[in-house]
Amino acid sequence: EPEVTQTPSHQVTQMGQEVILRCVPISNHLYFYWYRQILGQKVEFLVSFYNNEISEKSEIFDDQFSVERPDGSNFTLKIRSTKLEDSAMYFCASIGTGRREQYFGPGTRLTVT
Amino acid sequence: SQQGEEDPQALSIQEGENATMNCSYKTSINNLQWYRQNSGRGLVHLILIRSNEREKHSGRLRVTLDTSKKSSSLLITASRAADTASYFCATGPDSNYQLIWGAGTKLIIKP
């Protein structure tokens, strides 16, 4: 069964460093999402992406964040200058045409020290 | 405003019993979805119920939706130890595809 994959599974970085989190959505899906979950808290929407552009973003998704679909398969989330409070699990998700169920990757645990 | 609040926050029951979790939300929705998350792992989609549906079944899962009360419930029948996880409701608004999440119910099934 096709699935969303994410790499790395765990990333440790120092405050102020740039990180890129990678996702490979399910191949025929068209809508892509990033969410984050701070330990023990709710899942929070960050951004949605469709037709090679951001369709929506939350207040969390400030200028430090960017997304890109550099080729036909990868979908990346970049944090330019990480802060301690960026430590969280980051989940990528995708949706197929005409559907509403989101398929989630296993997540990347980002630890900012 | 917060959307998708589950209760209880935590539920501990014996294996074989039924587990019921509730979710309330505030704004109009296109659909409501339930997801499961095992500790420290990814989110697994369980079931989606559309705003014009009142009840839906999938295996041992039964979901109800009451749009007049802006609430939903997830019933897991004949619980198993493997059902131990956190369960989240997420609402899909009319206007877009993003999901708005509740805080989750931590379910523990005691063998």
Side-chain angles (χ1 to χ4, degrees), chain A residues 31 33 35 37 41-45 56 89 91 95 98-107 109, chain B residues 2-3 5 30-31 33 35 37 40-43 45 48 88 93-94 96-99 101-103:
Chain A
Y31 294 85
Y33 301 82
Y35 293 86
Q37 185 182 31
Q41 296 188 25
K42 288 187 183 190
V43 178
E44 299 172 290
F45 167 76
E56 293 173 280
M89 282 288 282
F91 293 104
I95 292 184
R99 306 300 298 265
R100 288 275 189 160
E101 300 91 334
Q102 296 192 12
Y103 290 84
F104 282 80
R109 181 174 298 282
Chain B
Q2 286 191 333
Q3 181 92 323
E5 298 293 334
N30 173 283
N31 64 85
Q33 304 181 38
Y35 286 80
Q37 184 181 37
R41 307 291 293 276
L43 294 148
H45 181 265
L48 177 151
F88 294 88
D94 277 328
N96 54 56
Y97 285 85
Q98 66 165 280
L99 289 176
W101 297 77

mmCIF file of all heavy atoms in Angstrom, chain A residues 31 33 35 37 41-45 56 89 91 95 98-107 109, chain B residues 2-3 5 30-31 33 35 37 40-43 45 48 88 93-94 96-99 101-103:
data_model
loop_
_atom_site.group_PDB
_atom_site.id
_atom_site.type_symbol
_atom_site.label_atom_id
_atom_site.label_comp_id
_atom_site.label_asym_id
_atom_site.label_seq_id
_atom_site.Cartn_x
_atom_site.Cartn_y
_atom_site.Cartn_z
ATOM 1 N N TYR A 31 -2.606 17.393 -2.984
ATOM 2 C CA TYR A 31 -2.601 18.368 -1.894
ATOM 3 C C TYR A 31 -1.613 17.895 -0.842
ATOM 4 O O TYR A 31 -1.634 16.718 -0.470
ATOM 5 C CB TYR A 31 -3.988 18.481 -1.252
ATOM 6 C CG TYR A 31 -5.044 19.049 -2.144
ATOM 7 C CD1 TYR A 31 -5.741 18.228 -3.022
ATOM 8 C CD2 TYR A 31 -5.365 20.404 -2.110
ATOM 9 C CE1 TYR A 31 -6.724 18.749 -3.852
ATOM 10 C CE2 TYR A 31 -6.345 20.931 -2.936
ATOM 11 C CZ TYR A 31 -7.015 20.099 -3.795
ATOM 12 O OH TYR A 31 -7.991 20.607 -4.619
ATOM 13 N N TYR A 33 0.560 18.847 2.925
ATOM 14 C CA TYR A 33 0.425 19.598 4.176
ATOM 15 C C TYR A 33 1.637 19.365 5.065
ATOM 16 O O TYR A 33 2.246 18.296 5.027
ATOM 17 C CB TYR A 33 -0.805 19.114 4.972
ATOM 18 C CG TYR A 33 -2.084 19.250 4.202
ATOM 19 C CD1 TYR A 33 -2.455 18.285 3.281
ATOM 20 C CD2 TYR A 33 -2.914 20.340 4.393
ATOM 21 C CE1 TYR A 33 -3.617 18.407 2.543
ATOM 22 C CE2 TYR A 33 -4.085 20.470 3.668
ATOM 23 C CZ TYR A 33 -4.423 19.500 2.751
ATOM 24 O OH TYR A 33 -5.579 19.632 2.030
ATOM 25 N N TYR A 35 2.198 19.699 9.284
ATOM 26 C CA TYR A 35 1.654 19.946 10.612
ATOM 27 C C TYR A 35 2.796 19.770 11.603
ATOM 28 O O TYR A 35 3.789 19.107 11.315
ATOM 29 C CB TYR A 35 0.569 18.919 10.980
ATOM 30 C CG TYR A 35 -0.698 18.999 10.171
ATOM 31 C CD1 TYR A 35 -0.812 18.334 8.956
ATOM 32 C CD2 TYR A 35 -1.795 19.707 10.636
ATOM 33 C CE1 TYR A 35 -1.995 18.382 8.218
ATOM 34 C CE2 TYR A 35 -2.982 19.759 9.916
ATOM 35 C CZ TYR A 35 -3.066 19.094 8.713
ATOM 36 O OH TYR A 35 -4.236 19.146 8.001
ATOM 37 N N GLN A 37 3.554 18.976 15.968
ATOM 38 C CA GLN A 37 2.991 18.597 17.265
ATOM 39 C C GLN A 37 4.082 18.732 18.311
ATOM 40 O O GLN A 37 5.021 17.926 18.338
ATOM 41 C CB GLN A 37 2.454 17.163 17.228
ATOM 42 C CG GLN A 37 1.748 16.745 18.502
ATOM 43 C CD GLN A 37 1.271 15.310 18.449
ATOM 44 O OE1 GLN A 37 1.881 14.456 17.813
ATOM 45 N NE2 GLN A 37 0.170 15.019 19.138
ATOM 46 N N GLN A 41 1.162 18.048 23.096
ATOM 47 C CA GLN A 41 0.170 19.052 22.734
ATOM 48 C C GLN A 41 -0.584 18.659 21.467
ATOM 49 O O GLN A 41 -0.382 17.587 20.912
ATOM 50 C CB GLN A 41 0.853 20.410 22.566
ATOM 51 C CG GLN A 41 1.468 20.927 23.851
ATOM 52 C CD GLN A 41 1.977 22.344 23.720
ATOM 53 O OE1 GLN A 41 1.511 23.116 22.890
ATOM 54 N NE2 GLN A 41 2.942 22.700 24.561
ATOM 55 N N LYS A 42 -1.453 19.561 21.036
ATOM 56 C CA LYS A 42 -2.269 19.311 19.852
ATOM 57 C C LYS A 42 -1.421 19.303 18.591
ATOM 58 O O LYS A 42 -0.364 19.913 18.522
ATOM 59 C CB LYS A 42 -3.270 20.453 19.657
ATOM 60 C CG LYS A 42 -4.402 20.518 20.604
ATOM 61 C CD LYS A 42 -5.359 21.614 20.139
ATOM 62 C CE LYS A 42 -6.506 21.776 21.097
ATOM 63 N NZ LYS A 42 -7.544 22.649 20.567
ATOM 64 N N VAL A 43 -1.940 18.649 17.587
ATOM 65 C CA VAL A 43 -1.390 18.785 16.247
ATOM 66 C C VAL A 43 -1.825 20.150 15.715
ATOM 67 O O VAL A 43 -2.990 20.541 15.846
ATOM 68 C CB VAL A 43 -1.919 17.667 15.333
ATOM 69 C CG1 VAL A 43 -1.398 17.832 13.923
ATOM 70 C CG2 VAL A 43 -1.540 16.297 15.891
ATOM 71 N N GLU A 44 -0.886 20.879 15.123
ATOM 72 C CA GLU A 44 -1.188 22.228 14.623
ATOM 73 C C GLU A 44 -0.893 22.298 13.123
ATOM 74 O O GLU A 44 0.162 21.864 12.665
ATOM 75 C CB GLU A 44 -0.313 23.263 15.332
ATOM 76 C CG GLU A 44 -0.511 23.314 16.838
ATOM 77 C CD GLU A 44 0.519 24.216 17.493
ATOM 78 O OE1 GLU A 44 1.716 23.842 17.526
ATOM 79 O OE2 GLU A 44 0.128 25.298 17.965
ATOM 80 N N PHE A 45 -1.801 22.879 12.410
ATOM 81 C CA PHE A 45 -1.634 23.071 10.975
ATOM 82 C C PHE A 45 -0.572 24.142 10.725
ATOM 83 O O PHE A 45 -0.567 25.191 11.366
ATOM 84 C CB PHE A 45 -2.972 23.493 10.372
ATOM 85 C CG PHE A 45 -2.907 24.019 8.976
ATOM 86 C CD1 PHE A 45 -2.734 23.147 7.911
ATOM 87 C CD2 PHE A 45 -3.019 25.376 8.714
ATOM 88 C CE1 PHE A 45 -2.686 23.631 6.612
ATOM 89 C CE2 PHE A 45 -2.967 25.867 7.435
ATOM 90 C CZ PHE A 45 -2.803 24.990 6.381
ATOM 91 N N GLU A 56 -2.744 27.726 1.810
ATOM 92 C CA GLU A 56 -3.077 28.328 3.109
ATOM 93 C C GLU A 56 -1.898 28.174 4.052
ATOM 94 O O GLU A 56 -1.129 27.230 3.914
ATOM 95 C CB GLU A 56 -4.245 27.604 3.776
ATOM 96 C CG GLU A 56 -5.558 27.749 3.088
ATOM 97 C CD GLU A 56 -6.550 26.852 3.745
ATOM 98 O OE1 GLU A 56 -6.543 25.645 3.457
ATOM 99 O OE2 GLU A 56 -7.315 27.355 4.560
ATOM 100 N N MET A 89 7.420 17.368 16.761
ATOM 101 C CA MET A 89 7.279 16.402 15.664
ATOM 102 C C MET A 89 6.661 17.141 14.494
ATOM 103 O O MET A 89 5.681 17.874 14.668
ATOM 104 C CB MET A 89 6.351 15.261 16.073
ATOM 105 C CG MET A 89 6.967 14.224 16.964
ATOM 106 S SD MET A 89 8.142 13.175 16.097
ATOM 107 C CE MET A 89 7.026 12.070 15.230
ATOM 108 N N PHE A 91 4.868 16.615 10.888
ATOM 109 C CA PHE A 91 4.198 15.614 10.065
ATOM 110 C C PHE A 91 3.864 16.196 8.694
ATOM 111 O O PHE A 91 3.362 17.309 8.580
ATOM 112 C CB PHE A 91 2.887 15.156 10.708
ATOM 113 C CG PHE A 91 3.065 14.399 11.984
ATOM 114 C CD1 PHE A 91 2.817 15.009 13.206
ATOM 115 C CD2 PHE A 91 3.481 13.074 11.968
ATOM 116 C CE1 PHE A 91 2.975 14.305 14.395
ATOM 117 C CE2 PHE A 91 3.639 12.368 13.145
ATOM 118 C CZ PHE A 91 3.389 12.984 14.367
ATOM 119 N N ILE A 95 -3.274 14.355 0.294
ATOM 120 C CA ILE A 95 -4.654 13.961 -0.033
ATOM 121 C C ILE A 95 -4.736 13.668 -1.515
ATOM 122 O O ILE A 95 -4.145 14.381 -2.341
ATOM 123 C CB ILE A 95 -5.640 15.107 0.266
ATOM 124 C CG1 ILE A 95 -5.766 15.370 1.747
ATOM 125 C CG2 ILE A 95 -7.022 14.803 -0.290
ATOM 126 C CD1 ILE A 95 -6.795 16.433 2.059
ATOM 127 N N GLY A 98 -10.313 14.438 -4.981
ATOM 128 C CA GLY A 98 -11.689 14.129 -4.629
ATOM 129 C C GLY A 98 -11.876 13.505 -3.265
ATOM 130 O O GLY A 98 -12.975 13.071 -2.925
ATOM 131 N N ARG A 99 -10.816 13.408 -2.479
ATOM 132 C CA ARG A 99 -10.919 12.801 -1.161
ATOM 133 C C ARG A 99 -10.633 13.845 -0.084
ATOM 134 O O ARG A 99 -10.144 14.929 -0.362
ATOM 135 C CB ARG A 99 -9.910 11.650 -1.018
ATOM 136 C CG ARG A 99 -9.987 10.604 -2.095
ATOM 137 C CD ARG A 99 -11.335 9.947 -2.139
ATOM 138 N NE ARG A 99 -11.667 9.253 -0.921
ATOM 139 C CZ ARG A 99 -11.472 7.954 -0.725
ATOM 140 N NH1 ARG A 99 -10.884 7.231 -1.653
ATOM 141 N NH2 ARG A 99 -11.834 7.382 0.397
ATOM 142 N N ARG A 100 -10.966 13.478 1.165
ATOM 143 C CA ARG A 100 -10.682 14.374 2.280
ATOM 144 C C ARG A 100 -9.771 13.731 3.315
ATOM 145 O O ARG A 100 -9.236 14.403 4.173
ATOM 146 C CB ARG A 100 -11.989 14.793 2.956
ATOM 147 C CG ARG A 100 -12.821 15.774 2.127
ATOM 148 C CD ARG A 100 -12.363 17.195 2.367
ATOM 149 N NE ARG A 100 -13.244 18.188 1.776
ATOM 150 C CZ ARG A 100 -13.293 19.463 2.143
ATOM 151 N NH1 ARG A 100 -12.524 19.896 3.100
ATOM 152 N NH2 ARG A 100 -14.111 20.293 1.543
ATOM 153 N N GLU A 101 -9.612 12.419 3.243
ATOM 154 C CA GLU A 101 -8.763 11.753 4.236
ATOM 155 C C GLU A 101 -7.312 12.119 3.972
ATOM 156 O O GLU A 101 -6.839 12.015 2.841
ATOM 157 C CB GLU A 101 -8.885 10.219 4.149
ATOM 158 C CG GLU A 101 -10.264 9.677 4.386
ATOM 159 C CD GLU A 101 -11.068 9.536 3.109
ATOM 160 O OE1 GLU A 101 -10.805 10.253 2.130
ATOM 161 O OE2 GLU A 101 -11.968 8.684 3.085
ATOM 162 N N GLN A 102 -6.630 12.534 5.019
ATOM 163 C CA GLN A 102 -5.230 12.878 4.868
ATOM 164 C C GLN A 102 -4.384 11.684 5.294
ATOM 165 O O GLN A 102 -4.626 11.070 6.324
ATOM 166 C CB GLN A 102 -4.890 14.114 5.703
ATOM 167 C CG GLN A 102 -5.645 15.349 5.217
ATOM 168 C CD GLN A 102 -5.146 16.650 5.795
ATOM 169 O OE1 GLN A 102 -4.092 16.716 6.408
ATOM 170 N NE2 GLN A 102 -5.902 17.717 5.582
ATOM 171 N N TYR A 103 -3.393 11.391 4.500
ATOM 172 C CA TYR A 103 -2.457 10.313 4.801
ATOM 173 C C TYR A 103 -1.178 10.935 5.342
ATOM 174 O O TYR A 103 -0.571 11.764 4.680
ATOM 175 C CB TYR A 103 -2.175 9.483 3.544
ATOM 176 C CG TYR A 103 -3.364 8.677 3.121
ATOM 177 C CD1 TYR A 103 -4.371 9.241 2.341
ATOM 178 C CD2 TYR A 103 -3.512 7.350 3.527
ATOM 179 C CE1 TYR A 103 -5.492 8.516 1.983
ATOM 180 C CE2 TYR A 103 -4.625 6.615 3.159
ATOM 181 C CZ TYR A 103 -5.602 7.205 2.390
ATOM 182 O OH TYR A 103 -6.710 6.489 2.043
ATOM 183 N N PHE A 104 -0.825 10.507 6.532
ATOM 184 C CA PHE A 104 0.299 11.114 7.230
ATOM 185 C C PHE A 104 1.549 10.269 7.140
ATOM 186 O O PHE A 104 1.498 9.038 7.148
ATOM 187 C CB PHE A 104 -0.038 11.310 8.713
ATOM 188 C CG PHE A 104 -0.920 12.493 8.951
ATOM 189 C CD1 PHE A 104 -2.284 12.405 8.731
ATOM 190 C CD2 PHE A 104 -0.385 13.691 9.380
ATOM 191 C CE1 PHE A 104 -3.109 13.509 8.943
ATOM 192 C CE2 PHE A 104 -1.201 14.796 9.593
ATOM 193 C CZ PHE A 104 -2.560 14.698 9.365
ATOM 194 N N GLY A 105 2.677 10.959 7.081
ATOM 195 C CA GLY A 105 3.949 10.291 7.227
ATOM 196 C C GLY A 105 4.219 9.994 8.696
ATOM 197 O O GLY A 105 3.480 10.447 9.575
ATOM 198 N N PRO A 106 5.295 9.278 8.977
ATOM 199 C CA PRO A 106 5.616 8.897 10.353
ATOM 200 C C PRO A 106 6.154 10.042 11.193
ATOM 201 O O PRO A 106 6.280 9.919 12.408
ATOM 202 C CB PRO A 106 6.675 7.810 10.176
ATOM 203 C CG PRO A 106 7.313 8.134 8.866
ATOM 204 C CD PRO A 106 6.244 8.717 8.005
ATOM 205 N N GLY A 107 6.485 11.162 10.546
ATOM 206 C CA GLY A 107 6.956 12.328 11.286
ATOM 207 C C GLY A 107 8.464 12.406 11.390
ATOM 208 O O GLY A 107 9.182 11.405 11.279
ATOM 209 N N ARG A 109 11.102 14.010 14.153
ATOM 210 C CA ARG A 109 11.251 14.657 15.454
ATOM 211 C C ARG A 109 12.399 15.644 15.357
ATOM 212 O O ARG A 109 13.533 15.260 15.122
ATOM 213 C CB ARG A 109 11.524 13.624 16.546
ATOM 214 C CG ARG A 109 11.672 14.244 17.931
ATOM 215 C CD ARG A 109 11.801 13.193 19.022
ATOM 216 N NE ARG A 109 10.626 12.336 19.117
ATOM 217 C CZ ARG A 109 9.478 12.683 19.695
ATOM 218 N NH1 ARG A 109 9.345 13.878 20.248
ATOM 219 N NH2 ARG A 109 8.477 11.846 19.734
ATOM 220 N N GLN B 2 -10.615 27.591 19.807
ATOM 221 C CA GLN B 2 -10.177 26.216 19.698
ATOM 222 C C GLN B 2 -11.257 25.389 19.033
ATOM 223 O O GLN B 2 -12.445 25.577 19.245
ATOM 224 C CB GLN B 2 -9.863 25.657 21.082
ATOM 225 C CG GLN B 2 -8.561 26.203 21.641
ATOM 226 C CD GLN B 2 -8.124 25.460 22.876
ATOM 227 O OE1 GLN B 2 -8.951 24.916 23.590
ATOM 228 N NE2 GLN B 2 -6.842 25.427 23.135
ATOM 229 N N GLN B 3 -10.858 24.444 18.252
ATOM 230 C CA GLN B 3 -11.770 23.569 17.542
ATOM 231 C C GLN B 3 -11.420 22.147 17.922
ATOM 232 O O GLN B 3 -10.279 21.813 18.120
ATOM 233 C CB GLN B 3 -11.576 23.775 16.034
ATOM 234 C CG GLN B 3 -12.461 22.967 15.147
ATOM 235 C CD GLN B 3 -13.738 23.696 14.784
ATOM 236 O OE1 GLN B 3 -14.318 24.412 15.585
ATOM 237 N NE2 GLN B 3 -14.187 23.512 13.559
ATOM 238 N N GLU B 5 -12.394 19.668 20.570
ATOM 239 C CA GLU B 5 -11.974 19.345 21.928
ATOM 240 C C GLU B 5 -12.491 17.966 22.279
ATOM 241 O O GLU B 5 -13.692 17.708 22.229
ATOM 242 C CB GLU B 5 -12.543 20.372 22.923
ATOM 243 C CG GLU B 5 -12.056 21.788 22.688
ATOM 244 C CD GLU B 5 -10.574 21.953 22.971
ATOM 245 O OE1 GLU B 5 -10.035 21.167 23.776
ATOM 246 O OE2 GLU B 5 -9.957 22.860 22.383
ATOM 247 N N ASN B 30 -17.115 20.502 6.946
ATOM 248 C CA ASN B 30 -17.423 19.646 5.806
ATOM 249 C C ASN B 30 -17.397 18.186 6.252
ATOM 250 O O ASN B 30 -18.184 17.370 5.792
ATOM 251 C CB ASN B 30 -16.405 19.891 4.704
ATOM 252 C CG ASN B 30 -16.548 18.927 3.542
ATOM 253 O OD1 ASN B 30 -16.132 17.777 3.632
ATOM 254 N ND2 ASN B 30 -17.147 19.388 2.459
ATOM 255 N N ASN B 31 -16.456 17.881 7.151
ATOM 256 C CA ASN B 31 -16.298 16.510 7.614
ATOM 257 C C ASN B 31 -15.591 16.508 8.960
ATOM 258 O O ASN B 31 -15.010 17.520 9.370
ATOM 259 C CB ASN B 31 -15.486 15.681 6.604
ATOM 260 C CG ASN B 31 -14.065 16.193 6.471
ATOM 261 O OD1 ASN B 31 -13.193 15.827 7.248
ATOM 262 N ND2 ASN B 31 -13.816 17.055 5.491
ATOM 263 N N GLN B 33 -12.950 13.849 11.179
ATOM 264 C CA GLN B 33 -12.151 12.633 11.040
ATOM 265 C C GLN B 33 -11.576 12.244 12.401
ATOM 266 O O GLN B 33 -11.314 13.093 13.236
ATOM 267 C CB GLN B 33 -11.015 12.881 10.037
ATOM 268 C CG GLN B 33 -11.512 13.358 8.682
ATOM 269 C CD GLN B 33 -10.403 13.575 7.678
ATOM 270 O OE1 GLN B 33 -9.440 12.840 7.627
ATOM 271 N NE2 GLN B 33 -10.555 14.620 6.860
ATOM 272 N N TYR B 35 -8.392 10.084 14.139
ATOM 273 C CA TYR B 35 -7.072 9.526 13.901
ATOM 274 C C TYR B 35 -6.568 8.877 15.182
ATOM 275 O O TYR B 35 -6.947 9.268 16.284
ATOM 276 C CB TYR B 35 -6.079 10.631 13.493
ATOM 277 C CG TYR B 35 -6.254 11.151 12.099
ATOM 278 C CD1 TYR B 35 -7.256 12.086 11.800
ATOM 279 C CD2 TYR B 35 -5.429 10.731 11.062
ATOM 280 C CE1 TYR B 35 -7.423 12.566 10.518
ATOM 281 C CE2 TYR B 35 -5.583 11.217 9.772
ATOM 282 C CZ TYR B 35 -6.583 12.128 9.507
ATOM 283 O OH TYR B 35 -6.742 12.613 8.235
ATOM 284 N N GLN B 37 -2.939 7.726 17.231
ATOM 285 C CA GLN B 37 -1.500 7.936 17.300
ATOM 286 C C GLN B 37 -0.944 7.084 18.420
ATOM 287 O O GLN B 37 -1.276 7.292 19.590
ATOM 288 C CB GLN B 37 -1.160 9.408 17.543
ATOM 289 C CG GLN B 37 0.330 9.695 17.527
ATOM 290 C CD GLN B 37 0.656 11.154 17.786
ATOM 291 O OE1 GLN B 37 0.002 11.810 18.588
ATOM 292 N NE2 GLN B 37 1.664 11.674 17.110
ATOM 293 N N GLY B 40 4.491 8.514 20.384
ATOM 294 C CA GLY B 40 5.657 8.984 19.647
ATOM 295 C C GLY B 40 5.677 8.620 18.181
ATOM 296 O O GLY B 40 6.709 8.753 17.530
ATOM 297 N N ARG B 41 4.552 8.164 17.656
ATOM 298 C CA ARG B 41 4.518 7.725 16.261
ATOM 299 C C ARG B 41 3.629 8.620 15.412
ATOM 300 O O ARG B 41 3.157 9.657 15.863
ATOM 301 C CB ARG B 41 4.000 6.280 16.205
ATOM 302 C CG ARG B 41 4.734 5.308 17.105
ATOM 303 C CD ARG B 41 6.157 5.055 16.626
ATOM 304 N NE ARG B 41 6.175 4.349 15.366
ATOM 305 C CZ ARG B 41 6.089 3.036 15.256
ATOM 306 N NH1 ARG B 41 5.948 2.282 16.337
ATOM 307 N NH2 ARG B 41 6.150 2.471 14.068
ATOM 308 N N GLY B 42 3.415 8.205 14.170
ATOM 309 C CA GLY B 42 2.625 8.986 13.235
ATOM 310 C C GLY B 42 1.135 8.862 13.483
ATOM 311 O O GLY B 42 0.681 8.159 14.377
ATOM 312 N N LEU B 43 0.389 9.573 12.683
ATOM 313 C CA LEU B 43 -1.063 9.632 12.796
ATOM 314 C C LEU B 43 -1.690 8.706 11.761
ATOM 315 O O LEU B 43 -1.379 8.795 10.579
ATOM 316 C CB LEU B 43 -1.545 11.064 12.564
ATOM 317 C CG LEU B 43 -1.089 12.029 13.654
ATOM 318 C CD1 LEU B 43 -0.872 13.419 13.099
ATOM 319 C CD2 LEU B 43 -2.102 12.062 14.785
ATOM 320 N N HIS B 45 -5.122 7.423 9.976
ATOM 321 C CA HIS B 45 -6.522 7.769 9.741
ATOM 322 C C HIS B 45 -7.416 6.574 10.055
ATOM 323 O O HIS B 45 -7.154 5.449 9.616
ATOM 324 C CB HIS B 45 -6.698 8.171 8.268
ATOM 325 C CG HIS B 45 -8.093 8.563 7.935
ATOM 326 N ND1 HIS B 45 -9.009 7.689 7.396
ATOM 327 C CD2 HIS B 45 -8.744 9.733 8.087
ATOM 328 C CE1 HIS B 45 -10.155 8.313 7.219
ATOM 329 N NE2 HIS B 45 -10.020 9.549 7.632
ATOM 330 N N LEU B 48 -13.711 8.753 8.515
ATOM 331 C CA LEU B 48 -14.179 10.097 8.175
ATOM 332 C C LEU B 48 -15.696 10.058 8.119
ATOM 333 O O LEU B 48 -16.276 9.132 7.541
ATOM 334 C CB LEU B 48 -13.603 10.529 6.819
ATOM 335 C CG LEU B 48 -14.018 11.883 6.245
ATOM 336 C CD1 LEU B 48 -12.893 12.436 5.361
ATOM 337 C CD2 LEU B 48 -15.301 11.807 5.427
ATOM 338 N N PHE B 88 -7.454 11.252 18.228
ATOM 339 C CA PHE B 88 -7.705 12.660 17.941
ATOM 340 C C PHE B 88 -8.861 12.805 16.973
ATOM 341 O O PHE B 88 -8.975 12.035 16.012
ATOM 342 C CB PHE B 88 -6.478 13.296 17.272
ATOM 343 C CG PHE B 88 -5.272 13.369 18.144
ATOM 344 C CD1 PHE B 88 -4.370 12.321 18.199
ATOM 345 C CD2 PHE B 88 -5.024 14.497 18.902
ATOM 346 C CE1 PHE B 88 -3.239 12.385 19.001
ATOM 347 C CE2 PHE B 88 -3.896 14.575 19.706
ATOM 348 C CZ PHE B 88 -3.007 13.518 19.756
ATOM 349 N N PRO B 93 -12.944 22.065 7.678
ATOM 350 C CA PRO B 93 -13.908 23.136 7.409
ATOM 351 C C PRO B 93 -14.459 23.058 5.996
ATOM 352 O O PRO B 93 -13.914 22.372 5.143
ATOM 353 C CB PRO B 93 -13.083 24.416 7.595
ATOM 354 C CG PRO B 93 -11.828 23.999 8.265
ATOM 355 C CD PRO B 93 -11.593 22.574 7.893
ATOM 356 N N ASP B 94 -15.543 23.805 5.763
ATOM 357 C CA ASP B 94 -16.129 23.848 4.433
ATOM 358 C C ASP B 94 -15.174 24.431 3.412
ATOM 359 O O ASP B 94 -15.100 24.004 2.281
ATOM 360 C CB ASP B 94 -17.392 24.742 4.452
ATOM 361 C CG ASP B 94 -18.585 23.956 4.941
ATOM 362 O OD1 ASP B 94 -18.628 22.747 4.679
ATOM 363 O OD2 ASP B 94 -19.461 24.560 5.569
ATOM 364 N N ASN B 96 -11.879 24.907 3.094
ATOM 365 C CA ASN B 96 -10.534 24.501 2.689
ATOM 366 C C ASN B 96 -10.276 23.081 3.172
ATOM 367 O O ASN B 96 -11.151 22.443 3.741
ATOM 368 C CB ASN B 96 -9.498 25.468 3.268
ATOM 369 C CG ASN B 96 -9.644 25.609 4.765
ATOM 370 O OD1 ASN B 96 -9.606 24.630 5.489
ATOM 371 N ND2 ASN B 96 -9.817 26.826 5.237
ATOM 372 N N TYR B 97 -9.105 22.596 2.921
ATOM 373 C CA TYR B 97 -8.810 21.208 3.210
ATOM 374 C C TYR B 97 -7.988 21.000 4.468
ATOM 375 O O TYR B 97 -7.720 19.880 4.850
ATOM 376 C CB TYR B 97 -8.056 20.582 2.035
ATOM 377 C CG TYR B 97 -8.927 20.298 0.853
ATOM 378 C CD1 TYR B 97 -9.204 21.271 -0.092
ATOM 379 C CD2 TYR B 97 -9.476 19.033 0.676
ATOM 380 C CE1 TYR B 97 -10.009 20.988 -1.171
ATOM 381 C CE2 TYR B 97 -10.274 18.748 -0.414
ATOM 382 C CZ TYR B 97 -10.538 19.728 -1.330
ATOM 383 O OH TYR B 97 -11.326 19.452 -2.406
ATOM 384 N N GLN B 98 -7.585 22.055 5.127
ATOM 385 C CA GLN B 98 -6.757 21.839 6.307
ATOM 386 C C GLN B 98 -7.565 21.173 7.407
ATOM 387 O O GLN B 98 -8.783 21.267 7.441
ATOM 388 C CB GLN B 98 -6.198 23.166 6.823
ATOM 389 C CG GLN B 98 -7.272 24.098 7.354
ATOM 390 C CD GLN B 98 -6.682 25.228 8.187
ATOM 391 O OE1 GLN B 98 -6.367 25.040 9.351
ATOM 392 N NE2 GLN B 98 -6.538 26.387 7.580
ATOM 393 N N LEU B 99 -6.907 20.490 8.290
ATOM 394 C CA LEU B 99 -7.552 19.861 9.431
ATOM 395 C C LEU B 99 -7.241 20.649 10.690
ATOM 396 O O LEU B 99 -6.136 21.124 10.876
ATOM 397 C CB LEU B 99 -7.059 18.430 9.607
ATOM 398 C CG LEU B 99 -7.522 17.431 8.555
ATOM 399 C CD1 LEU B 99 -6.873 16.081 8.791
ATOM 400 C CD2 LEU B 99 -9.030 17.302 8.561
ATOM 401 N N TRP B 101 -7.331 20.307 14.777
ATOM 402 C CA TRP B 101 -7.225 19.165 15.660
ATOM 403 C C TRP B 101 -7.637 19.460 17.083
ATOM 404 O O TRP B 101 -7.425 20.557 17.597
ATOM 405 C CB TRP B 101 -5.765 18.683 15.681
ATOM 406 C CG TRP B 101 -5.313 18.221 14.348
ATOM 407 C CD1 TRP B 101 -4.959 18.990 13.287
ATOM 408 C CD2 TRP B 101 -5.198 16.869 13.918
ATOM 409 N NE1 TRP B 101 -4.620 18.200 12.223
ATOM 410 C CE2 TRP B 101 -4.756 16.897 12.577
ATOM 411 C CE3 TRP B 101 -5.412 15.633 14.534
ATOM 412 C CZ2 TRP B 101 -4.528 15.731 11.848
ATOM 413 C CZ3 TRP B 101 -5.191 14.481 13.810
ATOM 414 C CH2 TRP B 101 -4.752 14.538 12.479
ATOM 415 N N GLY B 102 -8.164 18.425 17.727
ATOM 416 C CA GLY B 102 -8.380 18.473 19.156
ATOM 417 C C GLY B 102 -7.138 18.025 19.897
ATOM 418 O O GLY B 102 -6.133 17.649 19.292
ATOM 419 N N ALA B 103 -7.225 18.079 21.223
ATOM 420 C CA ALA B 103 -6.068 17.756 22.066
ATOM 421 C C ALA B 103 -5.889 16.254 22.248
ATOM 422 O O ALA B 103 -4.852 15.804 22.716
ATOM 423 C CB ALA B 103 -6.195 18.433 23.420
#
